[in-house]
Amino acid sequence: MRSRPASFLASVLLLLACNEPAKEVSHGGETGSTSGSSSSSGTPAESTTGSLDTTAGTGSATGSGSSSTSGVLDGTGTSGSSSGPGESSSSESTGPVPVNGCADGEREAFVDEVAYPDIAACAGGWMVPGMYANVPACGRAGGDDGPLPAGAGCSVEDLCSEGWHVCADRFEVMAAGVANCNTETFGNAFFATGQSSMGGHTCSAGVDDVFGCGDIGWDMLNGCAPLNRDSQNLCNALPAPWDCGPSSLLEADFVVKGGPESGGVLCCRN
């Protein structure tokens, strides 16, 4: 009967002894496990988080780089866009002035460009002889308001702007919208064309005298409308600086004008 309680007591004591360490171990294990897990988990997690942050940072940096690239592209695009208007503005501000027929940009007669879009009276001088040069010789620097108003090195074509030429004859002047030069004002000047004659102040083929429009010059013409004046022999009907050369039969081949005064030429649109 005594052995049974002793055995029972021993079992209880053994159980208690076993359970207490087990509990401590378990508690410690839980604690350690928890702590270790927390520590282990926390550290890798932080490392992972750090890695993720770093990756994210890299991604962000890459994104930033992408954004930067995008910014460069956008900037280029913006620059291109602003460049377009800039170029347009620059072109508008520095491009050639719209031509009005005269190389120096100013008409002396037929000044109404709406009424006369295809003909202009342009004052100035030229020293390359004759009315038939057909090409400019001084870069269209002639004209009374141009760099070479006295016409040094210039031909008659240098008084006309780009896209224009000295009117060839009375028919071209008429086609340009002029019905009668007597209705216009020329400011005490004469403006020559390529029209000439074979004599007798009668417009025809030839190189005798120089014909055009003005309010100075010989005015008794035959069959020359709309032109109303000519040079007369040796430019006798015109004041200096008009000079028709040595022959009274070849004025259209030799005429020069060594200054801007008293007129110039009529220019027609090409």
Side-chain angles (χ1 to χ4, degrees), residues 153-216:
C154 300
S155 74
V156 288
E157 295 295 339
D158 286 294
L159 274 64
C160 301
S161 58
E162 187 71 34
W164 297 62
H165 60 277
V166 174
C167 299
D169 53 31
R170 70 186 189 92
F171 299 108
E172 189 169 22
V173 173
M174 186 178 294
V178 180
N180 186 350
C181 288
N182 285 319
T183 64
E184 302 299 319
T185 300
F186 296 95
N188 199 36
F190 171 75
F191 296 91
T193 71
Q195 180 68 62
S196 190
S197 77
M198 296 182 70
H201 307 287
T202 301
C203 288
S204 63
V207 291
D208 188 1
D209 297 335
V210 177
F211 292 72
C213 294
D215 41 27
I216 58 173

Side-chain angles (χ1 to χ4, degrees), residues 197-270:
S197 77
M198 296 182 70
H201 307 287
T202 301
C203 288
S204 63
V207 291
D208 188 1
D209 297 335
V210 177
F211 292 72
C213 294
D215 41 27
I216 58 173
W218 185 267
D219 62 355
M220 292 183 285
L221 310 184
N222 301 308
C224 293
L227 308 182
N228 68 338
R229 303 280 174 153
D230 76 23
S231 61
Q232 243 288 14
N233 288 340
L234 302 176
C235 285
N236 287 337
L238 299 174
W242 287 94
D243 181 351
C244 280
S247 172
S248 62
L249 299 176
L250 304 171
E251 289 90 350
D253 276 341
F254 288 100
V255 62
V256 295
K257 186 170 176 285
E261 304 86 0
S262 303
V265 300
L266 292 183
C267 297
C268 287
R269 190 184 295 274
N270 287 354

Side-chain angles (χ1 to χ4, degrees), residues 85-97:
E87 290 174 0
S88 175
S89 174
S90 174
S91 177
E92 289 175 5
S93 63
T94 63
V97 176

Side-chain angles (χ1 to χ4, degrees), residues 62-153:
T62 304
S64 175
S66 176
S67 175
S68 174
T69 303
S70 176
V72 171
L73 292 174
D74 290 343
T76 303
T78 301
S79 174
S81 294
S82 65
S83 174
E87 290 174 0
S88 175
S89 174
S90 174
S91 177
E92 289 175 5
S93 63
T94 63
V97 176
V99 296
N100 71 350
C102 298
D104 62 6
E106 183 177 354
R107 295 184 178 194
E108 276 64 52
F110 303 114
V111 295
D112 187 341
E113 294 180 42
V114 175
Y116 296 109
D118 299 320
I119 189 167
C122 307
W126 66 91
M127 293 306 293
V128 175
M131 294 303 305
Y132 309 116
N134 296 324
V135 293
C138 66
R140 302 188 189 277
D144 63 335
D145 295 308
L148 298 171

